[in-house]
Amino acid sequence: MNTTNSNCITCNAHQVKDDTREWEITPDGRVWPCCFFANAWDKRRNNNDNETKRLMEDKVIWNLLQTDPEWNSLNTHELDDIVNHKVFWTHIWYTGWESDNPPPICLKECSNNKAQLNIKKHNNRGGENGLETREYVR
């Protein structure tokens, strides 16, 4: 384990106090762990978008999308099955964040200093706009 990565991610979608996670659902029915992944997915046709580039740089997610393109689609799977997918509880969760290869989106958007800035922006906007947010207790 790389100690320089240990505890460097502050996930705004994980409510530590009551141990819940929030989920983003895109208009096409894709379930993502947060708005950053959802935005990267929604902008995937724009090759110049930095969020999308980080999604494509994430070998775990990108390989999953290549081998099982519908893995997180509500059009083909139940919500409980999607949010219990291994990738959400290993790669995009504490095990992945503390690994030698954390998700690029998490590292870029939710490293400790960046996460605090995003929380301030979120609070100033008055919360989430546009995407449906759901909480799920595991």
Side-chain angles (χ1 to χ4, degrees), residues 11-13 22-26 32-43 51 105 109-110 118 122 125 128-129 131-133:
C11 180
N12 300 327
E22 297 177 348
W23 302 92
E24 297 288 332
I25 300 174
T26 60
W32 293 101
C34 68
C35 63
F36 297 112
F37 279 89
N39 288 340
W41 173 256
D42 281 343
K43 297 175 185 176
E51 289 173 294
I105 289 176
E109 300 296 344
C110 297
N118 287 330
H122 175 81
R125 282 197 319 250
E128 288 297 320
N129 294 318
L131 296 177
E132 181 180 349
T133 300

Side-chain angles (χ1 to χ4, degrees), residues 1-72:
M1 187 175 307
N2 183 346
T3 56
T4 60
N5 284 341
S6 192
N7 300 317
C8 69
I9 305 292
T10 301
C11 180
N12 300 327
H14 176 223
Q15 308 306 315
V16 177
K17 183 177 83 173
D18 56 0
D19 196 29
T20 59
R21 286 180 85 171
E22 297 177 348
W23 302 92
E24 297 288 332
I25 300 174
T26 60
D28 66 342
R30 296 292 182 144
V31 179
W32 293 101
C34 68
C35 63
F36 297 112
F37 279 89
N39 288 340
W41 173 256
D42 281 343
K43 297 175 185 176
R44 68 192 176 281
R45 291 182 180 92
N46 179 354
N47 293 331
N48 296 323
D49 183 71
N50 286 330
E51 289 173 294
T52 299
K53 287 177 186 174
R54 284 191 286 279
L55 184 65
M56 292 169 54
E57 290 169 0
D58 189 326
K59 289 181 176 39
V60 173
I61 295 295
W62 195 248
N63 287 337
L64 185 56
L65 286 166
Q66 302 309 304
T67 59
D68 186 6
E70 296 294 313
W71 72 276
N72 66 339

